[in-house]
Amino acid sequence: MMKFEGSHILSVSQFDRDAISRILEISSLMAPYAMRKKRCTVLDGAILNNLFFEPSTRTRVSFGAAFNLLGGFVRETVGEENSSLSKGESLFDTARVISGYSDVIAMRHPKMHSVEEFSKGSSVPVINGGDGANEHPTQALLDLFTIKSEMAPFNKNLDNLNITLMGDLKHGRTVHSLSKLLSLYKNVKVTMISPDALQMPDGVISTLTNAGHEVIQTDKIEGNLACDVIYQTRIQQERFASKDEADLYRGHFSLNKETYLQYCKENTVIMHPLPRDSRPDANELDNDLNDLDNLAIFRQAQNGVLVRMALFALTLGVENNLTKFEKPVTWHTAK
Ligand code: NCD
Protein backbone atom coordinates (compact mmCIF):
# COMPACT_ATOMS: atom_id res chain seq x y z
CA MET A 1 0.00 0.00 0.00
CA MET A 2 1.25 3.47 -0.89
CA LYS A 3 2.58 5.48 2.05
CA PHE A 4 0.52 8.66 2.28
CA GLU A 5 2.04 10.26 5.36
CA GLY A 6 4.54 12.92 4.33
CA SER A 7 3.98 12.29 0.61
CA HIS A 8 3.34 14.89 -2.08
CA ILE A 9 0.20 14.38 -4.17
CA LEU A 10 1.33 15.48 -7.63
CA SER A 11 -0.16 13.08 -10.18
CA VAL A 12 -2.80 10.37 -10.28
CA SER A 13 -0.06 8.06 -11.59
CA GLN A 14 1.03 7.68 -7.94
CA PHE A 15 -2.08 5.68 -7.10
CA ASP A 16 -3.09 2.06 -7.53
CA ARG A 17 -6.58 0.73 -6.86
CA ASP A 18 -5.86 0.04 -3.18
CA ALA A 19 -4.63 3.58 -2.61
CA ILE A 20 -7.75 4.98 -4.26
CA SER A 21 -10.02 2.71 -2.20
CA ARG A 22 -8.30 4.00 0.93
CA ILE A 23 -8.75 7.66 -0.09
CA LEU A 24 -12.43 7.12 -0.96
CA GLU A 25 -13.00 5.20 2.29
CA ILE A 26 -11.50 8.02 4.40
CA SER A 27 -13.47 10.57 2.32
CA SER A 28 -16.72 8.86 3.35
CA LEU A 29 -15.71 9.14 7.03
CA MET A 30 -15.53 12.91 6.58
CA ALA A 31 -19.23 13.32 5.71
CA PRO A 32 -20.53 14.01 9.28
CA TYR A 33 -17.89 16.73 9.77
CA ALA A 34 -18.48 18.30 6.36
CA MET A 35 -22.25 18.22 6.99
CA ARG A 36 -21.69 19.87 10.42
CA LYS A 37 -23.26 16.98 12.33
CA LYS A 38 -20.06 16.81 14.40
CA ARG A 39 -16.81 18.75 14.56
CA CYS A 40 -13.36 17.25 14.27
CA THR A 41 -10.28 19.13 15.50
CA VAL A 42 -7.65 16.55 14.64
CA LEU A 43 -5.57 19.21 12.82
CA ASP A 44 -5.89 21.84 15.56
CA GLY A 45 -2.87 24.13 15.25
CA ALA A 46 -1.73 22.87 11.84
CA ILE A 47 -1.22 25.35 9.00
CA LEU A 48 -2.20 24.92 5.34
CA ASN A 49 -0.68 27.37 2.86
CA ASN A 50 -2.93 27.67 -0.17
CA LEU A 51 -0.90 29.07 -3.08
CA PHE A 52 -3.12 29.77 -6.09
CA PHE A 53 -1.28 31.33 -9.01
CA GLU A 54 -4.21 30.76 -11.40
CA PRO A 55 -7.93 31.59 -11.01
CA SER A 56 -9.89 29.19 -8.84
CA THR A 57 -13.12 29.15 -6.85
CA ARG A 58 -13.98 25.55 -5.88
CA THR A 59 -10.52 24.08 -5.59
CA ARG A 60 -9.07 26.92 -3.54
CA VAL A 61 -12.05 27.43 -1.25
CA SER A 62 -12.72 23.73 -0.74
CA PHE A 63 -9.04 23.06 0.12
CA GLY A 64 -9.30 25.84 2.71
CA ALA A 65 -12.70 24.73 4.03
CA ALA A 66 -11.51 21.10 4.22
CA PHE A 67 -8.55 22.12 6.35
CA ASN A 68 -10.70 24.34 8.58
CA LEU A 69 -13.22 21.50 8.98
CA LEU A 70 -10.43 19.41 10.53
CA GLY A 71 -9.52 22.24 12.91
CA GLY A 72 -6.53 23.67 11.05
CA PHE A 73 -5.57 27.22 10.04
CA VAL A 74 -5.37 28.39 6.42
CA ARG A 75 -3.16 31.08 4.92
CA GLU A 76 -3.54 32.09 1.31
CA THR A 77 -1.63 33.68 -1.54
CA VAL A 78 -3.69 34.38 -4.64
CA GLY A 79 -2.19 35.54 -7.95
CA GLU A 80 1.43 35.45 -9.06
CA GLU A 81 1.47 39.27 -9.02
CA ASN A 82 1.05 39.15 -5.22
CA SER A 83 4.02 36.86 -4.67
CA SER A 84 7.78 37.15 -5.10
CA LEU A 85 7.55 34.84 -8.12
CA SER A 86 6.83 38.09 -9.96
CA LYS A 87 10.26 39.38 -8.75
CA GLY A 88 12.01 36.43 -10.37
CA GLU A 89 12.14 34.11 -7.36
CA SER A 90 12.33 30.44 -8.34
CA LEU A 91 9.64 27.92 -7.43
CA PHE A 92 12.31 26.04 -5.46
CA ASP A 93 13.19 29.05 -3.28
CA THR A 94 9.53 29.93 -2.70
CA ALA A 95 8.92 26.33 -1.64
CA ARG A 96 11.89 26.30 0.75
CA VAL A 97 10.57 29.42 2.46
CA ILE A 98 6.81 28.73 2.51
CA SER A 99 7.24 25.13 3.66
CA GLY A 100 9.02 26.56 6.73
CA TYR A 101 5.75 28.32 7.58
CA SER A 102 3.43 25.38 6.88
CA ASP A 103 2.47 21.80 7.67
CA VAL A 104 1.10 21.20 4.17
CA ILE A 105 0.81 23.24 0.95
CA ALA A 106 -1.85 23.18 -1.80
CA MET A 107 -0.76 24.81 -5.02
CA ARG A 108 -2.13 25.72 -8.45
CA HIS A 109 0.07 27.19 -11.17
CA PRO A 110 -0.39 27.79 -14.94
CA LYS A 111 2.79 25.94 -16.01
CA MET A 112 2.76 22.18 -16.61
CA HIS A 113 4.86 20.26 -14.03
CA SER A 114 5.43 23.45 -11.98
CA VAL A 115 3.92 21.93 -8.83
CA GLU A 116 6.33 19.01 -9.05
CA GLU A 117 9.24 21.46 -9.49
CA PHE A 118 7.99 23.39 -6.44
CA SER A 119 7.66 20.21 -4.37
CA LYS A 120 11.42 19.57 -4.74
CA GLY A 121 12.07 22.59 -2.51
CA SER A 122 9.37 21.79 0.03
CA SER A 123 9.94 20.12 3.38
CA VAL A 124 6.19 19.43 3.80
CA PRO A 125 3.63 17.60 1.60
CA VAL A 126 2.55 19.53 -1.51
CA ILE A 127 -0.82 18.81 -3.09
CA ASN A 128 -1.31 19.67 -6.76
CA GLY A 129 -4.41 21.81 -7.28
CA GLY A 130 -3.81 21.93 -11.06
CA ASP A 131 -0.58 22.47 -13.02
CA GLY A 132 -1.45 24.07 -16.35
CA ALA A 133 -2.92 21.65 -18.86
CA ASN A 134 -1.19 18.71 -17.19
CA GLU A 135 -3.06 17.24 -14.21
CA HIS A 136 -5.61 17.90 -11.49
CA PRO A 137 -5.34 14.84 -9.25
CA THR A 138 -7.67 15.94 -6.44
CA GLN A 139 -10.40 16.72 -8.98
CA ALA A 140 -10.03 13.24 -10.50
CA LEU A 141 -10.35 11.66 -7.05
CA LEU A 142 -13.49 13.64 -6.27
CA ASP A 143 -14.80 12.71 -9.72
CA LEU A 144 -14.27 9.00 -8.96
CA PHE A 145 -15.93 9.43 -5.56
CA THR A 146 -18.88 11.08 -7.34
CA ILE A 147 -19.14 8.43 -10.07
CA LYS A 148 -19.08 5.72 -7.43
CA SER A 149 -21.81 7.31 -5.33
CA GLU A 150 -23.96 8.30 -8.32
CA MET A 151 -23.75 4.79 -9.80
CA ALA A 152 -24.52 2.99 -6.51
CA PRO A 153 -28.35 3.37 -6.77
CA PHE A 154 -28.17 1.65 -10.18
CA ASN A 155 -26.04 -1.20 -8.80
CA LYS A 156 -23.16 -0.08 -10.97
CA ASN A 157 -19.56 0.53 -10.12
CA LEU A 158 -16.37 1.93 -11.56
CA ASP A 159 -15.74 -1.38 -13.32
CA ASN A 160 -17.79 -1.76 -16.53
CA LEU A 161 -18.43 1.99 -16.65
CA ASN A 162 -19.56 3.59 -19.90
CA ILE A 163 -18.50 7.26 -19.81
CA THR A 164 -18.50 10.05 -22.37
CA LEU A 165 -15.98 12.90 -22.01
CA MET A 166 -16.88 15.98 -23.97
CA GLY A 167 -15.41 19.38 -24.91
CA ASP A 168 -11.82 20.60 -24.69
CA LEU A 169 -10.09 17.28 -24.06
CA LYS A 170 -6.71 18.62 -25.23
CA HIS A 171 -6.28 21.29 -22.55
CA GLY A 172 -8.64 19.99 -19.85
CA ARG A 173 -6.44 18.70 -17.04
CA THR A 174 -9.45 17.22 -15.22
CA VAL A 175 -10.18 14.78 -18.04
CA HIS A 176 -6.49 13.87 -18.33
CA SER A 177 -6.31 12.89 -14.66
CA LEU A 178 -9.72 11.20 -14.65
CA SER A 179 -8.88 9.08 -17.72
CA LYS A 180 -5.63 7.92 -16.13
CA LEU A 181 -7.50 6.88 -12.99
CA LEU A 182 -10.19 5.08 -14.99
CA SER A 183 -7.46 2.99 -16.59
CA LEU A 184 -7.10 1.24 -13.20
CA TYR A 185 -10.62 -0.21 -13.41
CA LYS A 186 -11.97 -3.04 -15.56
CA ASN A 187 -13.77 -2.95 -18.88
CA VAL A 188 -14.33 0.79 -19.10
CA LYS A 189 -15.72 2.30 -22.30
CA VAL A 190 -14.64 5.91 -22.86
CA THR A 191 -16.19 7.94 -25.66
CA MET A 192 -14.36 11.20 -26.30
CA ILE A 193 -16.32 13.90 -28.10
CA SER A 194 -14.27 16.93 -29.13
CA PRO A 195 -13.40 19.03 -32.18
CA ASP A 196 -10.49 17.39 -34.05
CA ALA A 197 -8.11 20.12 -32.88
CA LEU A 198 -9.00 19.55 -29.22
CA GLN A 199 -8.63 15.79 -28.98
CA MET A 200 -7.31 14.02 -25.91
CA PRO A 201 -3.45 13.81 -25.89
CA ASP A 202 -2.10 10.49 -27.26
CA GLY A 203 -0.35 9.64 -23.98
CA VAL A 204 -3.65 9.69 -22.10
CA ILE A 205 -5.40 7.61 -24.74
CA SER A 206 -2.66 4.98 -24.66
CA THR A 207 -2.95 4.72 -20.86
CA LEU A 208 -6.56 3.65 -21.43
CA THR A 209 -5.98 1.40 -24.44
CA ASN A 210 -2.96 -0.28 -22.82
CA ALA A 211 -5.28 -1.18 -19.96
CA GLY A 212 -7.56 -2.91 -22.52
CA HIS A 213 -10.31 -0.27 -22.50
CA GLU A 214 -12.43 0.69 -25.47
CA VAL A 215 -11.81 4.30 -26.57
CA ILE A 216 -13.93 5.99 -29.22
CA GLN A 217 -12.92 9.42 -30.54
CA THR A 218 -15.52 11.43 -32.39
CA ASP A 219 -16.71 14.96 -33.10
CA LYS A 220 -20.40 14.05 -32.97
CA ILE A 221 -22.87 14.09 -30.13
CA GLU A 222 -25.49 12.02 -31.96
CA GLY A 223 -25.32 8.38 -30.93
CA ASN A 224 -22.59 8.98 -28.36
CA LEU A 225 -24.48 10.10 -25.27
CA ALA A 226 -26.29 6.87 -24.32
CA CYS A 227 -23.82 6.27 -21.49
CA ASP A 228 -23.76 5.98 -17.69
CA VAL A 229 -21.97 9.32 -17.20
CA ILE A 230 -21.46 12.37 -19.39
CA TYR A 231 -18.49 14.45 -18.24
CA GLN A 232 -18.80 17.84 -19.89
CA THR A 233 -15.91 20.36 -19.89
CA ARG A 234 -15.28 24.03 -20.59
CA ILE A 235 -13.22 25.34 -23.53
CA GLN A 236 -10.03 26.27 -21.63
CA GLN A 237 -9.64 29.71 -23.18
CA GLU A 238 -6.63 30.55 -21.01
CA ARG A 239 -4.63 27.80 -22.74
CA PHE A 240 -5.25 29.17 -26.28
CA ALA A 241 -3.04 31.69 -28.10
CA SER A 242 -6.00 34.10 -28.37
CA LYS A 243 -9.66 34.48 -27.47
CA ASP A 244 -10.48 34.38 -31.19
CA GLU A 245 -9.00 30.89 -31.41
CA ALA A 246 -11.01 29.70 -28.41
CA ASP A 247 -14.14 31.26 -29.98
CA LEU A 248 -13.79 28.81 -32.89
CA TYR A 249 -14.71 25.92 -30.58
CA ARG A 250 -17.03 27.47 -28.04
CA GLY A 251 -20.62 26.21 -28.01
CA HIS A 252 -19.97 23.17 -30.22
CA PHE A 253 -21.25 20.57 -27.79
CA SER A 254 -23.77 22.43 -25.67
CA LEU A 255 -25.99 20.13 -23.68
CA ASN A 256 -29.53 21.16 -22.82
CA LYS A 257 -32.66 19.31 -21.76
CA GLU A 258 -33.74 18.69 -25.33
CA THR A 259 -30.40 17.08 -26.34
CA TYR A 260 -30.34 15.20 -23.04
CA LEU A 261 -33.82 13.73 -23.56
CA GLN A 262 -33.07 12.96 -27.20
CA TYR A 263 -29.70 11.24 -26.88
CA CYS A 264 -29.08 10.10 -23.29
CA LYS A 265 -30.29 7.09 -21.37
CA GLU A 266 -32.97 7.55 -18.73
CA ASN A 267 -30.39 7.53 -15.94
CA THR A 268 -27.37 9.15 -17.57
CA VAL A 269 -25.61 11.21 -14.90
CA ILE A 270 -24.24 14.61 -15.92
CA MET A 271 -20.94 15.76 -14.43
CA HIS A 272 -18.74 18.81 -15.01
CA PRO A 273 -15.72 19.91 -12.96
CA LEU A 274 -17.14 23.46 -13.04
CA PRO A 275 -17.07 26.35 -13.67
CA ARG A 276 -19.59 25.83 -16.48
CA ASP A 277 -19.34 28.69 -18.96
CA SER A 278 -22.92 29.99 -18.95
CA ARG A 279 -22.35 32.79 -21.46
CA PRO A 280 -24.72 32.42 -24.44
CA ASP A 281 -21.96 31.60 -26.95
CA ALA A 282 -20.73 28.68 -24.80
CA ASN A 283 -23.57 27.50 -22.54
CA GLU A 284 -22.09 24.01 -22.31
CA LEU A 285 -24.65 22.86 -19.70
CA ASP A 286 -27.90 24.77 -20.05
CA ASN A 287 -29.71 26.03 -16.96
CA ASP A 288 -32.78 24.09 -18.12
CA LEU A 289 -30.95 20.96 -16.85
CA ASN A 290 -30.93 22.33 -13.28
CA ASP A 291 -34.10 20.54 -12.21
CA LEU A 292 -32.89 17.10 -13.41
CA ASP A 293 -32.00 14.73 -10.55
CA ASN A 294 -29.26 13.32 -12.74
CA LEU A 295 -27.42 16.63 -12.87
CA ALA A 296 -24.69 15.77 -10.35
CA ILE A 297 -22.51 18.87 -10.74
CA PHE A 298 -23.24 20.45 -7.36
CA ARG A 299 -23.02 17.15 -5.47
CA GLN A 300 -19.71 16.64 -7.30
CA ALA A 301 -18.39 20.04 -6.12
CA GLN A 302 -19.51 19.26 -2.54
CA ASN A 303 -17.66 15.92 -2.67
CA GLY A 304 -14.47 17.90 -3.22
CA VAL A 305 -14.49 18.91 0.44
CA LEU A 306 -14.65 15.26 1.61
CA VAL A 307 -11.85 14.11 -0.67
CA ARG A 308 -9.59 17.04 0.23
CA MET A 309 -10.23 16.45 3.94
CA ALA A 310 -9.21 12.81 3.40
CA LEU A 311 -6.01 13.82 1.60
CA PHE A 312 -5.03 16.18 4.42
CA ALA A 313 -5.74 13.50 7.03
CA LEU A 314 -3.70 10.91 5.09
CA THR A 315 -0.71 13.10 4.22
CA LEU A 316 -0.52 14.36 7.80
CA GLY A 317 -0.97 10.86 9.24
CA VAL A 318 -4.10 11.47 11.34
CA GLU A 319 -6.66 9.39 9.44
CA ASN A 320 -6.99 6.89 12.32
CA ASN A 321 -7.48 9.58 15.00
CA LEU A 322 -10.60 11.32 13.69
CA THR A 323 -13.11 10.05 16.27
CA LYS A 324 -10.72 10.83 19.16
CA PHE A 325 -10.96 14.52 18.24
CA GLU A 326 -14.73 14.72 17.73
CA LYS A 327 -16.75 17.51 19.37
CA PRO A 328 -20.43 18.49 19.22
CA VAL A 329 -21.58 21.27 16.93
CA THR A 330 -22.89 24.08 19.12
CA TRP A 331 -24.65 26.20 16.48
CA HIS A 332 -27.43 25.67 13.95
CA THR A 333 -26.56 25.39 10.28
CA ALA A 334 -29.23 25.41 7.59
CA LYS A 335 -28.05 22.36 5.59
C1 NCD B 1 -11.21 22.94 -13.55
C2 NCD B 1 -9.76 23.36 -13.59
O1 NCD B 1 -9.38 24.39 -13.03
O2 NCD B 1 -9.02 22.61 -14.21
N1 NCD B 1 -11.92 23.54 -12.49
C3 NCD B 1 -11.83 22.97 -11.25
O3 NCD B 1 -10.78 22.89 -10.66
N2 NCD B 1 -12.96 22.44 -10.75
C4 NCD B 1 -11.90 23.02 -14.84
C5 NCD B 1 -11.99 24.31 -15.58
O4 NCD B 1 -11.48 25.35 -15.15
O5 NCD B 1 -12.61 24.31 -16.64
Side-chain angles (χ1 to χ4, degrees):
M1 166 70 90
M2 168 188 169
K3 182 178 159 290
F4 286 101
E5 189 176 338
S7 295
H8 304 305
I9 306 290
L10 301 174
S11 160
V12 290
S13 313
Q14 290 170 247
F15 306 127
D16 58 15
R17 268 182 85 138
D18 285 347
I20 290 166
S21 299
R22 184 76 181 136
I23 296 168
L24 302 192
E25 179 193 357
I26 304 294
S27 303
S28 297
L29 299 181
M30 299 300 182
Y33 313 127
M35 297 302 293
R36 312 313 259 152
K37 303 269 186 267
K38 294 174 194 167
R39 292 175 63 208
C40 178
T41 57
V42 72
L43 292 181
D44 182 23
I47 297 178
L48 162 69
N49 252 294
N50 238 353
L51 305 179
F52 275 71
F53 301 119
E54 230 191 11
S56 173
T57 300
R58 267 147 295 272
T59 308
R60 176 174 59 83
V61 178
S62 68
F63 265 123
F67 208 73
N68 288 150
L69 284 162
L70 291 172
F73 300 113
V74 180
R75 304 206 62 87
E76 240 171 36
T77 302
V78 172
E80 198 162 337
E81 69 280 13
N82 297 316
S83 104
S84 288
L85 290 175
S86 67
K87 299 179 180 171
E89 186 170 50
S90 67
L91 287 168
F92 183 92
D93 282 5
T94 305
R96 276 297 285 269
V97 173
I98 299 287
S99 61
Y101 309 155
S102 324
D103 295 284
V104 59
I105 295 171
M107 178 174 168
R108 169 173 286 188
H109 191 281
K111 211 175 90 201
M112 290 170 85
H113 307 291
S114 51
V115 182
E116 184 182 357
E117 189 183 331
F118 177 92
S119 73
K120 299 204 167 98
S122 174
S123 55
V124 300
V126 176
I127 304 183
N128 182 359
D131 59 327
N134 184 38
E135 276 222 35
H136 195 343
T138 64
Q139 178 72 41
L141 291 165
L142 78 88
D143 289 342
L144 274 200
F145 185 94
T146 304
I147 294 171
K148 207 169 163 230
S149 54
E150 296 290 328
M151 290 296 107
F154 310 120
N155 291 321
K156 293 199 167 192
N157 209 317
L158 293 161
D159 290 321
N160 306 312
L161 185 75
N162 179 353
I163 185 170
T164 295
L165 310 176
M166 195 150 76
D168 185 353
L169 307 183
K170 178 180 177 190
H171 305 105
R173 53 194 172 196
T174 69
V175 284
H176 301 168
S177 290
L178 179 59
S179 299
K180 290 184 199 170
L181 279 192
L182 287 173
S183 71
L184 298 174
Y185 294 84
K186 294 201 187 86
N187 191 34
V188 180
K189 177 177 174 191
V190 188
T191 304
M192 302 180 176
I193 306 177
S194 70
D196 277 356
L198 301 183
Q199 282 181 357
M200 186 69 91
D202 289 344
V204 180
I205 292 186
S206 55
T207 310
L208 284 162
T209 51
N210 290 344
H213 299 318
E214 183 182 352
V215 176
I216 295 168
Q217 289 182 281
T218 172
D219 61 358
K220 296 203 171 33
I221 281 195
E222 299 81 27
N224 291 311
L225 296 186
C227 51
D228 300 321
V229 176
I230 294 178
Y231 192 103
Q232 176 69 298
T233 65
R234 179 180 66 88
I235 298 297
Q236 309 277 295
Q237 185 184 307
E238 62 277 33
R239 316 256 180 255
F240 286 79
S242 67
K243 178 179 174 298
D244 287 351
E245 198 193 339
D247 282 342
L248 294 175
Y249 306 108
R250 235 190 286 274
H252 277 206
F253 304 115
S254 300
L255 193 67
N256 59 22
K257 204 176 221 170
E258 194 187 336
T259 10
Y260 182 85
L261 294 174
Q262 189 176 0
Y263 296 118
C264 295
K265 292 198 300 190
E266 196 183 340
N267 291 320
T268 300
V269 167
I270 305 169
M271 293 175 60
H272 189 305
L274 300 180
R276 59 175 154 172
D277 187 342
S278 295
R279 289 170 287 196
D281 58 341
N283 201 28
E284 59 227 16
L285 283 184
D286 198 285
N287 282 331
D288 70 1
L289 294 162
N290 287 0
D291 60 358
L292 279 188
D293 279 349
N294 291 333
L295 185 77
I297 55 176
F298 298 116
R299 295 190 289 277
Q300 182 183 0
Q302 186 64 35
N303 290 338
V305 175
L306 306 186
V307 169
R308 293 184 173 114
M309 288 172 83
L311 290 171
F312 287 133
L314 285 159
T315 51
L316 296 176
V318 297
E319 73 279 14
N320 295 322
N321 300 345
L322 302 175
T323 51
K324 266 190 253 165
F325 289 87
E326 274 181 6
K327 296 194 171 50
V329 172
T330 53
W331 61 90
H332 298 284
T333 306
K335 281 210 166 145

